[in-house]
Amino acid sequence: IKGNKKFQIEGRSIIAAEVLKSFILSILKHDEQYAPFRIVALEEKGRGEDQVTYKLSNGKKVKLKGIIDRIDIKDGQVRVLDYKTGRDAKDFANISSLIDREHNKRNKAVFQVFFYSYLFVKRNQSIDFQRIVPGIFNSKDLFQEDFQAEIYNKDLKQLVYDYSEYHEDYETILGELLEEIFNPQIPFDQTDDEKKCKFQLQYHKI
C-alpha cells in the first residue's frame, strides 16, 4: 500500500509472484533441514573498505566488489551462496574452463560464486572458520528431494567442499582475465560463435 492506493498484482505478475513464492518456500525448507546455522550476511555489497584491490602487472590497481546473496556459517563451515532463478548448471570441467572462450560449456554461474568466495577470503573476515563452501540455489534443482547447493567438479568427479583447494588457481585465472580486460593493446572483439549472439522469438498464431 502506498498512500491511499493499494497495489494489486495482475496478469503475468501473478504467475511470477507464485513462482517466486515457491522458490522462497523451497529455500526455507532446505534451511530448516540444514539448521541450526547463523546468517553472516545477506546481499553483502562489499563497499568502501570491504572492496578488494587487485594490482595489475603494470602497477595499476583495480577495485573488485560483488553483491553476495548470502553467507552463513555452521560448525566452522562458511557457505557462500548465490541464488539463481534460471536453469544455471552447477558443474564445471576445471578452473581454466571458466574463462575459456572456446569452451562451449563455460559456466558463468560457477565463475561468479567462486568470485564471491575469493572476495570473502580477501576481505580478511574476522570470522573464525575452517573452510568455505561455494554453493548455488537454482530453480533447476531446488525442488528435487536430493538437492545439494554445492558445485561439482566434473574432472575430479567430486563436489567442491573446500574453496581453499581452488583459491590459488582461481586467483591465477582471475588475474589473467583482468590483465586482458585492462590491456589497451588487446581490443574488445565479437565472438566468432554466432549462436551466442542469437535471440530467437517465437510467434504464435491466434
Side-chain angles (χ1 to χ4, degrees):
I1 300 175
K2 185 176 180 181
N4 294 324
K5 295 182 179 180
K6 292 184 178 180
F7 176 75
Q8 290 185 333
I9 301 177
E10 299 176 345
R12 293 182 179 179
S13 297
I14 296 176
I15 299 175
E18 287 301 314
V19 171
L20 183 59
K21 179 181 176 181
S22 298
F23 189 63
I24 294 172
L25 290 175
S26 188
I27 291 175
L28 291 175
K29 174 185 175 182
H30 289 290
D31 281 350
E32 184 179 24
Q33 295 172 349
Y34 186 67
F37 60 89
R38 178 168 65 90
I39 294 290
V40 175
L42 294 172
E43 292 195 355
E44 183 65 46
K45 298 183 184 300
R47 294 176 177 174
E49 67 276 7
D50 286 334
Q51 289 183 349
V52 171
T53 301
Y54 186 91
K55 189 175 182 179
L56 301 173
S57 58
N58 61 9
K60 291 184 178 180
K61 296 179 180 179
V62 179
K63 295 287 187 180
L64 304 176
K65 65 178 182 179
I67 301 177
I68 304 174
D69 285 343
R70 170 172 156 182
I71 303 171
D72 64 38
I73 185 170
K74 175 181 180 179
D75 299 330
Q77 173 177 286
V78 168
R79 295 194 306 174
V80 176
L81 302 173
D82 195 26
Y83 296 146
K84 296 293 186 185
T85 55
R87 299 183 61 83
D88 300 83
K90 293 186 296 184
D91 56 2
F92 67 106
N94 49 58
I95 289 293
S96 297
S97 72
L98 298 178
I99 62 168
D100 185 358
R101 293 179 182 178
E102 305 304 318
H103 199 285
N104 60 358
K105 293 196 176 177
R106 178 165 56 99
N107 196 319
K108 294 179 288 184
V110 171
F111 178 90
Q112 185 177 10
V113 77
F114 265 128
F115 179 67
Y116 292 157
S117 300
Y118 169 84
L119 291 179
F120 181 84
V121 171
K122 288 296 184 177
R123 286 174 188 166
N124 297 315
Q125 299 282 344
S126 58
I127 302 170
D128 184 19
F129 65 92
Q130 299 171 3
R131 62 181 181 176
I132 300 170
V133 181
I136 298 173
F137 277 80
N138 64 342
S139 59
K140 175 183 177 182
D141 305 316
L142 188 59
F143 298 96
Q144 298 178 8
E145 289 297 325
D146 58 348
F147 169 79
Q148 288 181 297
E150 293 82 10
I151 55 181
Y152 182 74
N153 186 319
K154 292 189 290 186
D155 279 5
L156 298 179
K157 298 181 180 179
Q158 64 184 27
L159 294 171
V160 178
Y161 282 121
D162 191 351
Y163 167 75
S164 66
E165 297 175 358
Y166 296 84
H167 178 73
E168 186 175 344
D169 290 338
Y170 182 78
E171 188 169 38
T172 297
I173 66 162
L174 179 63
E176 292 174 358
L177 193 60
L178 292 173
E179 292 285 352
E180 179 181 344
I181 292 173
F182 290 95
N183 186 342
Q185 303 302 319
I186 302 177
F188 288 95
D189 55 6
Q190 182 175 316
T191 178
D192 294 327
D193 186 353
E194 294 183 1
K195 292 181 181 178
K196 295 180 180 179
C197 301
K198 284 185 177 180
F199 180 78
Q200 296 181 347
L201 292 175
Q202 293 183 351
Y203 296 92
H204 299 276
K205 292 182 179 180
I206 301 177

